């Protein structure tokens, strides 16, 4: 059976759409969605681990003084459900984020704020 050019075109478009090539941004949006779920949801466990080197600051903004620099894979206590919207930042693969979590610094046991995109729940 011979297939018409229209049928071949529709089949090609459907196949490309299935792999995210026919609709620009589809594959990228799926990647962003998966990436956005890869950080803490706000410290539901009371403990987080750094996914990269990250600062703990006195306030939830990038211009605030740094209390401590935490190395990747180090863990810290965090205040339960402590998400606060603050200054915008680009960190740990995320751009224009503004979610901050309350972290207990090992320096003088002071509470500070850190970019939530750089932490995973323990």
């Amino acid at each position: 059976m011979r297939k018409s050019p229209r049928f071949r075109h529709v089949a090609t478009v459907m196949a490309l759409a299935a792999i995210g090539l026919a609709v620009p941004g589809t594959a990228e949006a799926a990647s962003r969605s998966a990436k956005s779920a890869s950080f803490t949801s706000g410290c539901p466990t009371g403990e987080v681990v750094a996914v990269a080197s990250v600062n703990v600051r006195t306030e939830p903004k990038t211009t605030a003084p740094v209390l401590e620099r935490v190395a990747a894979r180090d863990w810290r206590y965090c205040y339960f459900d402590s998400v606060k919207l603050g200054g915008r930042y680009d960190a740990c693969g995320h751009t224009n984020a503004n979610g901050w979590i309350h972290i207990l610094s090992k320096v003088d046991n002071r509470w500070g704020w850190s970019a939530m995109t750089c932490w995973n729940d323990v």
Side-chain angles (χ1 to χ4, degrees):
M1 177 175 182
R2 190 167 184 209
K3 296 182 177 147
S4 71
R6 182 176 179 205
F7 174 82
R8 277 186 261 150
H9 176 71
V10 170
T12 302
V13 169
M14 289 177 63
L16 290 173
I19 59 172
L21 297 177
V23 181
T26 303
E28 185 180 338
S31 174
R32 277 195 313 267
S33 177
K35 188 182 282 186
S36 68
S38 66
F39 56 87
T40 182
S41 60
C43 190
T45 63
E47 296 178 30
V48 286
V49 63
V51 298
S53 293
V54 62
N55 290 325
V56 178
R57 298 177 176 275
T58 58
E59 296 176 68
K61 58 185 180 179
T62 58
T63 57
V66 175
L67 291 173
E68 176 186 18
R69 178 103 176 133
V70 179
R73 296 180 297 282
D74 278 357
W75 71 273
R76 294 291 183 273
Y77 289 114
C78 53
Y79 198 81
F80 292 100
D81 298 323
S82 64
V83 175
K84 181 175 184 172
L85 299 181
R88 298 256 174 209
Y89 58 86
D90 298 337
C92 301
H94 297 270
T95 57
N96 204 28
N98 68 338
W100 297 77
I101 58 170
H102 224 173
I103 300 287
L104 183 60
S105 169
K106 288 189 175 179
V107 177
D108 298 329
N109 286 330
R110 291 179 57 190
W111 285 95
W113 294 94
S114 189
M116 72 183 288
T117 59
C118 295
W119 298 91
N120 279 333
D121 297 319
V122 174

